[in-house]
Amino acid sequence: MSRKEEIQNAYQSVGNHTGFYDGMMTYGNIAGKLLCRLVWNMDKEKNLYYRNKVLSSIPKDFSGRLLEIPVGTGIMTLPLYKGLPKAEIVCMDYAPEMMEPAKERATLLGIENIHFQQGDVGALPFQAESFDIVLSMNGFHVFPDKEAAYQEVFRVLKPGGIFCGCFYVEGGVKRADWFAKHIYVPKGLFTPPFETEEGLRKRLMESYTEVSVERVETVACFSCVKKKFMIVTVPFCSPS
């Protein structure tokens, strides 16, 4: 079984327990609160802070084209999309089961300007420079081929477009690093190697401008803008 299949199977199982998953993502129920505190050292304020930090990168009056991958159950982003009726929103995920609750939420919220599809961030089925914003919340610690994911995000993002999101980074909370290595990786929920806060900042600064990276316990929140012009340095050769 490939790593992609392992991840898909793992999140199919998660999709059958969306109450627990949503509670963990939003600090919204007893089980979620216990896990957030025990593993990630997160309380309600920190949980809310990092979510708001990421989503504040999306303009309130945004009317362009946005790609979210992975969308998961949509618990964190669909309420925001309800307030963006002029935007074109595309949501992707490895596991179709994870998206079913998101589709139901979109219907209940009356969001019509949204499209869901199963897909791989390492091979996005979109033309180059076709999105104004790419959002990835809690995804990059899962993706099996992170280099391909970074390259694909850069490819489909328009020059001047925003790349923002958050994900687990190692080196913030020791017990979280232990759980990631010994529990989440074997279960197929996380995939090494993992970024560090400084490693992520350095990576983004190579291809983006206006780079902002802030770690909240184990989660790195980031926002950056794709450079409009890439400067290519050509070695000088003196005439012979």
Side-chain angles (χ1 to χ4, degrees):
M1 182 183 296
S2 70
R3 186 60 181 173
K4 290 181 180 179
E5 290 173 328
E6 290 177 358
I7 293 170
Q8 189 172 24
N9 289 341
Y11 279 89
Q12 284 175 348
S13 176
V14 172
N16 294 326
H17 301 87
T18 55
F20 173 74
Y21 177 84
D22 290 351
M24 179 180 63
M25 290 294 101
T26 63
Y27 204 80
N29 58 31
I30 293 176
K33 291 175 182 178
L34 288 173
L35 189 65
C36 283
R37 286 183 176 274
L38 174 64
V39 177
W40 310 115
N41 199 37
M42 287 276 190
D43 58 19
K44 182 178 181 180
E45 289 72 25
K46 292 174 183 176
N47 185 282
L48 182 61
Y49 176 81
Y50 93 76
R51 288 187 282 131
N52 288 343
K53 178 75 175 178
V54 173
L55 297 178
S56 65
S57 298
I58 301 173
K60 293 183 179 180
D61 58 348
F62 178 68
S63 59
R65 197 163 186 238
L66 181 150
L67 170 65
E68 182 184 3
I69 185 162
V71 65
T73 65
I75 185 67
M76 293 187 288
T77 53
L78 285 176
L80 172 70
Y81 298 155
K82 181 175 174 60
L84 301 174
K86 297 181 180 180
E88 180 183 349
I89 300 166
V90 179
C91 295
M92 293 185 66
D93 205 291
Y94 276 132
E97 289 80 3
M98 287 293 288
M99 288 191 293
E100 286 305 315
K103 293 178 181 179
E104 294 174 5
R105 284 192 170 98
T107 299
L108 290 173
L109 291 170
I111 304 173
E112 298 180 351
N113 54 321
I114 192 168
H115 172 69
F116 295 92
Q117 68 182 82
Q118 192 274 337
D120 179 1
V121 69
L124 294 173
F126 307 112
Q127 293 183 350
E129 301 181 0
S130 56
F131 288 93
D132 300 283
I133 295 177
V134 176
L135 170 66
S136 182
M137 299 189 74
N138 299 308
F140 270 81
H141 54 250
V142 178
F143 301 149
D145 190 339
K146 294 174 175 56
E147 293 302 325
Y150 281 117
Q151 292 171 13
E152 281 292 88
V153 167
F154 186 85
R155 181 183 67 82
V156 303
L157 190 62
K158 295 179 181 179
I162 298 171
F163 175 34
C164 58
C166 60
F167 55 83
Y168 159 76
V169 291
E170 63 182 5
V173 178
K174 289 185 178 180
R175 65 176 179 270
D177 293 343
W178 187 93
F179 272 94
K181 180 179 179 179
H182 296 283
I183 304 298
Y184 287 84
V185 170
K187 287 183 175 293
L189 298 172
F190 284 12
T191 301
F194 301 118
E195 292 274 18
T196 64
E197 178 186 359
E198 285 305 313
L200 175 61
R201 182 178 289 106
K202 181 179 179 180
R203 176 191 290 276
L204 295 178
M205 290 181 69
E206 292 176 352
S207 303
Y208 298 88
T209 187
E210 299 180 37
V211 175
S212 172
V213 178
E214 179 180 351
R215 181 174 58 81
V216 182
E217 298 297 353
T218 63
V219 177
C221 308
F222 67 91
S223 178
C224 54
V225 176
K226 183 177 178 179
K227 295 178 180 179
K228 293 184 179 181
F229 302 101
M230 298 295 289
I231 299 175
V232 179
T233 302
V234 180
F236 174 75
C237 297
S238 60
S240 58

